[in-house]
Amino acid sequence: MTTDIDEARDWQGNEVDCASCPHHELLSAGLCELKKACVQDRYARRLERFFQQNRALADSYLDHPYFETRAVAAGYATVFLLPKLLQDPDETVRWSAARRLPKRYLLGLRSDPHREVRIRVASVLSDDELRPMASDEDYYVRQIVARRASPGLLPLLVLDPDPGVRREVARRIGTEWLAQIAMDKDGEVRLEAARRMTPGRLLAMLGDADWRVRYEVASRVDAYELAPLLDDPDPLVRELARSRSGFTEPAQLKPATEPSP
């Protein structure tokens, strides 16, 4: 059975013709090969292999009508030609150019219309460079910001609408913010805060609605503070609290013995 990958076709679906290729002389020199390393082929891997062996030709393909050809060529072209590609209509081309340019060129892509570009940009920027991206419309961009930003920037995301972002914030923000985060409506966010709180501060979470938070509390507060959890509705929390406090079930009272007549 023949599949598309077994064929050599260009970006318009036409069969590749080596005889009409402007670089057909490379074939005899072993610098290109049909279905393996070909600048006419529509598959990125074959384009990649071609430019790996013929870097000097990459500059002349930055304006090619096929986005994949432009994107692959951008990885090998002369760097000073790449800034113009930051305005390319295809996001793959824009990122391919941006990743080879100095960081200052990435700043203009913080508001790129495509989320994948903004995600990649956020993954390489840091600190104040990330500040404008803390209000990005895409939750995953903001998650990346929360992972990379300095703790001083994280208060901007404490009330983020996405719980995944707030969880990242809870893991890294300054401890002075944990008491506020411990009141978050999402149990997993509160749990992340609880894991970083001192045993003394955890006492405020003894009655938390989420059993996982109460379990964290039961595992770390002083044993004599565990009384409110000895009869917890969750069996795991209850068992841990009783085990740590040395609680034992009262022995069942035996009925008094009737005196003999």
Side-chain angles (χ1 to χ4, degrees):
M1 178 180 177
T2 302
T3 62
D4 289 347
I5 198 69
D6 297 319
E7 300 176 339
R9 295 190 177 275
D10 65 17
W11 66 283
Q12 294 179 310
N14 301 313
E15 191 172 348
V16 172
D17 180 14
C18 294
S20 63
C21 178
H23 310 299
H24 64 272
E25 73 281 356
L26 298 176
L27 189 61
S28 58
L31 295 175
C32 66
E33 183 179 344
L34 197 65
K35 300 182 185 179
K36 184 175 181 181
C38 178
V39 75
Q40 293 192 65
D41 206 293
R42 60 187 174 187
Y43 288 107
R45 259 185 212 177
R46 296 171 184 176
L47 291 165
E48 189 85 39
R49 293 191 195 105
F50 177 86
F51 287 118
Q52 283 174 351
Q53 299 178 76
N54 302 281
R55 290 173 177 264
L57 295 175
D59 291 358
S60 60
Y61 280 91
L62 297 180
D63 295 312
H64 194 277
Y66 183 39
F67 81 93
E68 201 78 79
T69 301
R70 298 195 306 276
V72 177
Y76 298 91
T78 306
V79 172
F80 72 79
L81 296 177
L82 299 181
K84 69 176 183 178
L85 294 182
L86 299 181
Q87 305 302 318
D88 193 276
D90 187 88
E91 69 276 4
T92 307
V93 179
R94 294 195 298 274
W95 176 248
S96 183
R99 63 190 177 89
R100 294 187 59 213
L101 289 167
K103 187 181 288 188
R104 68 179 184 274
Y105 286 95
L106 292 177
L107 301 182
L109 295 178
R110 291 178 295 188
S111 57
D112 191 273
H114 201 282
R115 73 185 293 265
E116 289 299 329
V117 174
R118 301 198 307 278
I119 288 170
R120 290 172 176 176
V121 169
S123 69
V124 296
L125 296 182
S126 57
D127 297 333
D128 278 348
E129 297 167 341
L130 286 168
R131 183 179 292 271
M133 305 189 82
S135 57
D136 193 276
E137 64 182 25
D138 189 275
Y139 79 96
Y140 193 68
V141 174
R142 301 194 306 276
Q143 280 192 31
I144 299 296
V145 173
R147 290 174 195 167
R148 293 189 54 81
S150 61
L153 193 64
L154 294 179
L156 294 174
L157 295 166
V158 166
L159 298 178
D160 191 274
D162 183 75
V165 175
R166 300 198 304 276
R167 283 196 297 273
E168 293 291 345
V169 171
R171 293 183 186 116
R172 302 185 56 242
I173 201 168
T175 55
E176 68 274 15
W177 286 88
L178 294 179
Q180 177 177 337
I181 295 175
M183 296 184 288
D184 194 277
K185 61 184 179 181
D186 185 88
E188 291 189 18
V189 176
R190 298 196 304 275
L191 179 59
E192 292 295 344
R195 286 169 173 163
R196 297 183 59 211
M197 294 173 78
T198 62
R201 287 193 171 190
L202 277 178
L203 292 174
M205 305 186 80
L206 276 166
D208 193 272
D210 194 302
W211 74 269
R212 295 169 299 178
V213 175
R214 298 196 307 277
Y215 190 90
E216 180 72 17
V217 174
S219 68
R220 293 178 50 217
V221 300
D222 290 334
Y224 64 84
E225 303 279 7
L226 290 171
L229 300 177
L230 295 179
D231 293 311
D232 193 271
D234 185 87
L236 292 177
V237 176
R238 189 168 63 245
E239 180 181 353
L240 178 60
R242 294 184 177 192
S243 172
R244 290 196 61 223
S245 65
F247 176 90
T248 55
E249 295 280 0
Q252 186 177 5
L253 293 176
K254 294 181 180 181
T257 305
E258 293 276 341
S260 300

